Amino acid sequence: MRPLFESMSARLQDLWKRGQAPAASRASRCVCGRPVFFDNSLCLNCGRPLGYEPRLGRVLALQPGPQPGTWQPAAELPEGEPRPLYRRCGNFDSAAGCNWLVEDAQALCRSCRLNRVIPDLSLPENQVLWGRIEAAKRRLVSQLIGLGLPVRTRLGEDPARGLAFDLLRALPGGPPVMTGHADGIITLNAEEADPAYRERTREHLQEPYRTVLGHLRHEVGHYYWDRLVAHTPWLEPFRRTFGDERQDYAAALRRHYEQGAPADWQSRHVSAYASAHPWEDWAETWAHYLHMVDTLDTALSFGLDADSVEPSHAPYTPETLQQPADATTAGFLSFVNAWMELTCVLNELSRSMGQPDFYPFVLSAPAVDKLHFVHRVVTQYRDHPGPD
């Protein structure tokens, strides 16, 4: 059995150079040697406490610190290196079950500090929904940090350009909660964390895929369009690639829901909804980019095994892209071609379990070019961060 991602790793090495790869690896080990995972707060093998360290991007085995309620890494450190002192996030014992660690004087971790409103926790069902939402949000935030993107809360850290979440559930008989983004505030209908509600909505809208994490990645894409594209040199290239966002947004969405997507949407977009308006095209493409990066990073982290991986399509080449000579092209094509190989296997595994395809989408050449645009924007910010 040869490593499934041996060839992928070779092709990805130009993209994920040391110090540039997303720091949120999903594979860690306890000091006892057993693997531990992103959401774990306790090693099931040896019983040692665990916590996720967002700055380092990994789960640490812990030992009690010098003061009550403090923790330090249990692993041996190089001689002379100071041992960090942590506390658990204030939501550790809440329905959120947050396993993140805090180094500063804040009560909450970097993910939980982003919340502006949460559901009414006096209702037990809201506690369940909130816990599911927070698990997805932690995965999102860890990836954004790893990609080097600005992640600052609007509540105190960056009131003008920061990010915040309103996690709302409609009152009985009250108006519905609309998931969306406005001026740095992401609103999520907490009902989306109810699998029955989400599946009914998915079928009603004839969507192939609908998850809480997908919602969060899509809506945060709108936020980063405002931060990284609007009022920057990227705006005109965006319009050439995605279209002119100045067209009437409300009218475009109304037309989409009344008439549906164009018959040829698959030839130009990552999803049917992406065809509604250039802003939605960007947000859908952004969400797919985050899906792809996190899934490949996870797979590479765990080193899955298989005999071979044969792609079901011809690899994408520089001729696919509007900017074939861009410095990011070779690494991006390695990345996207590795993704296509991986999803061939994962889709077959899903079918073997009688489940829908893991990735039920087909990437046309124009959609891949749009993914390259997102990659270029993220890469430029990571390498040359703007003012926060």
Side-chain angles (χ1 to χ4, degrees):
M1 299 285 282
R2 73 175 179 84
L4 171 60
F5 302 108
E6 180 180 325
S7 59
M8 295 183 193
S9 298
R11 290 196 303 276
L12 284 167
Q13 65 182 351
D14 289 337
L15 178 62
W16 301 139
K17 294 178 181 177
R18 182 176 297 275
Q20 295 182 347
S25 173
R26 306 308 181 195
S28 301
R29 287 191 177 273
C30 180
V31 288
C32 71
R34 295 295 294 271
V36 293
F37 304 97
F38 178 68
D39 288 320
N40 289 164
S41 58
L42 188 73
C43 176
L44 297 181
N45 180 59
C46 69
R48 183 173 290 276
L50 306 171
Y52 182 77
E53 217 282 26
R55 180 175 54 83
L56 300 177
R58 64 176 186 266
V59 175
L60 301 180
L62 303 173
Q63 65 185 25
Q67 293 88 36
T70 63
W71 300 90
Q72 293 179 310
E76 291 295 327
L77 300 177
E79 186 175 353
E81 182 174 325
R83 191 174 291 274
L85 193 64
Y86 301 110
R87 291 176 294 101
R88 288 201 179 275
C89 174
N91 278 331
F92 175 71
D93 290 319
S94 73
C98 182
N99 69 330
W100 282 30
L101 300 172
V102 181
E103 283 188 274
D104 53 31
Q106 299 282 348
L108 299 177
C109 72
R110 291 187 66 180
S111 179
C112 291
R113 288 203 297 267
L114 297 173
N115 289 338
R116 191 174 74 159
V117 181
I118 63 173
D120 178 3
L121 299 183
S122 67
L123 301 176
E125 60 268 30
N126 284 354
Q127 296 185 29
V128 174
L129 299 178
W130 184 49
R132 293 170 181 165
I133 294 169
E134 289 301 326
K137 182 158 70 67
R138 287 193 294 272
R139 192 167 290 268
L140 167 74
V141 174
S142 68
Q143 183 184 23
L144 298 176
I145 294 171
L147 285 170
L149 293 168
V151 185
R152 294 169 65 82
T153 178
R154 208 172 186 83
L155 310 177
E157 288 182 337
D158 190 349
R161 298 202 301 164
L163 179 64
F165 289 83
D166 287 352
L167 312 175
L168 307 176
R169 189 180 184 196
L171 297 173
V177 173
M178 302 301 295
T179 295
H181 166 266
D183 194 28
I185 307 298
I186 291 176
T187 300
L188 179 70
N189 179 4
E191 296 281 0
E192 292 288 349
D194 177 358
Y197 171 91
R198 194 170 63 250
E199 180 61 15
R200 287 195 302 270
T201 306
R202 187 194 68 78
E203 289 198 352
H204 174 71
L205 297 176
Q206 299 182 332
E207 297 172 337
Y209 168 92
R210 190 179 184 93
T211 67
V212 174
L213 183 55
H215 277 304
L216 296 176
R217 284 175 169 160
H218 174 100
E219 299 304 337
V220 87
H222 288 298
Y223 168 73
Y224 283 111
W225 189 89
D226 288 346
R227 286 294 307 265
L228 306 181
V229 178
H231 312 297
T232 77
W234 286 111
L235 185 56
E236 287 306 318
F238 167 86
R239 289 171 178 164
R240 291 194 296 270
T241 303
F242 290 86
D244 193 335
E245 84 291 350
R246 291 170 293 188
Q247 62 181 277
D248 191 313
Y249 180 67
L253 290 189
R254 184 167 57 251
R255 183 171 57 251
H256 174 79
Y257 284 116
E258 291 175 355
Q259 302 176 14
D264 65 344
W265 69 263
Q266 285 186 313
S267 67
R268 292 174 286 127
H269 306 282
V270 295
S271 70
Y273 187 57
S275 68
H277 186 275
W279 278 337
E280 298 304 337
D281 199 2
W282 161 272
E284 284 287 273
T285 304
W286 174 278
H288 277 247
Y289 179 76
L290 295 190
H291 291 333
M292 296 161 69
V293 169
D294 198 24
T295 303
L296 271 175
D297 188 51
T298 300
L300 290 165
S301 297
F302 284 101
L304 302 178
D305 290 336
D307 289 329
S308 64
V309 179
E310 293 296 334
S312 60
H313 72 101
Y316 295 109
T317 64
E319 290 70 33
T320 307
L321 309 177
Q322 291 187 53
Q323 301 294 329
D326 189 83
T328 65
T329 292
F332 172 79
L333 290 173
S334 295
F335 159 74
V336 76
N337 286 323
W339 171 253
M340 299 307 296
E341 294 180 7
L342 173 63
T343 54
C344 289
V345 175
L346 295 179
N347 283 345
E348 285 299 322
L349 290 173
S350 294
R351 295 164 192 165
S352 297
M353 288 293 293
Q355 295 293 324
D357 280 1
F358 171 85
Y359 187 72
F361 302 94
V362 177
L363 296 178
S364 64
V368 170
D369 186 58
K370 291 172 183 177
L371 286 163
H372 186 220
F373 184 93
V374 172
H375 175 68
R376 290 163 59 210
V377 171
V378 171
T379 300
Q380 183 189 72
Y381 188 90
R382 182 197 64 203
D383 294 343
H384 306 285
D388 277 345

